[in-house]
Amino acid sequence: QVQLVESGGGSVEAGGSLRLSCAASGDTRSNFYRGWFRQAPGKEREGIALIDTRDSGTGYADSVKGRFTISQDNARNTVYLEMNSLNSEDTAMYYCASTGARLTFSTRFSIRYWNTWGQGTQVTVSS
């Protein structure tokens, strides 16, 4: 069973940067996709970035493309989300997730395909 633990959230001023970490434990071989999702108050959870840990292929939502970068450290079994040029609309609870499902471009951020979730880490951006 895979367990995910996020860290690195906090408060930052608009224009600033943060780096989130997602450490995985357990048997992660079959859950080779790792993704970052976020949920703002009153809004649905949305997928923003993913990485295929087998070949480091990545994907991003339009809302974060060019500002956020997902990466991995295989030795530490950890995935990172580097967030730059943050603005108030980035304020949300950020969740790490993993799956071994067959994802397509249209389904890659569909929550129902992701079967393992962390507890989340809060990111607050003040303007």
Side-chain angles (χ1 to χ4, degrees):
Q1 187 173 357
V2 177
Q3 292 184 325
L4 304 173
V5 178
E6 304 97 333
S7 61
S11 297
V12 64
E13 292 185 354
S17 301
L18 279 175
R19 189 178 78 156
L20 306 182
S21 300
C22 172
S25 60
D27 187 358
T28 60
R29 290 173 297 176
S30 60
N31 272 31
F32 40 80
Y33 286 112
R34 203 81 60 84
W36 285 99
F37 293 73
R38 66 185 183 185
Q39 188 167 18
K43 294 188 177 181
E44 294 185 353
R45 191 171 299 190
E46 64 165 339
I48 56 173
L50 66 82
I51 188 166
D52 185 335
T53 60
R54 297 171 297 180
D55 61 8
S56 297
T58 60
Y60 298 93
D62 289 343
S63 58
V64 304
K65 194 175 296 182
R67 299 189 299 125
F68 291 10
T69 302
I70 188 170
S71 61
Q72 64 175 339
D73 182 336
N74 287 335
R76 289 184 167 84
N77 213 352
T78 298
V79 168
Y80 303 97
L81 186 68
E82 185 75 34
M83 307 185 294
N84 298 314
S85 302
L86 288 163
N87 57 63
S88 59
E89 294 185 352
D90 296 315
T91 294
M93 184 70 78
Y94 283 69
Y95 299 91
C96 179
S98 68
T99 185
R102 180 174 296 181
L103 302 177
T104 65
F105 184 85
S106 61
T107 66
R108 57 185 185 165
F109 290 134
S110 295
I111 292 175
R112 63 191 183 102
Y113 288 97
W114 296 79
N115 59 15
T116 302
W117 294 84
Q119 293 300 306
T121 185
Q122 177 68 37
V123 172
T124 302
V125 183
S126 58
S127 56

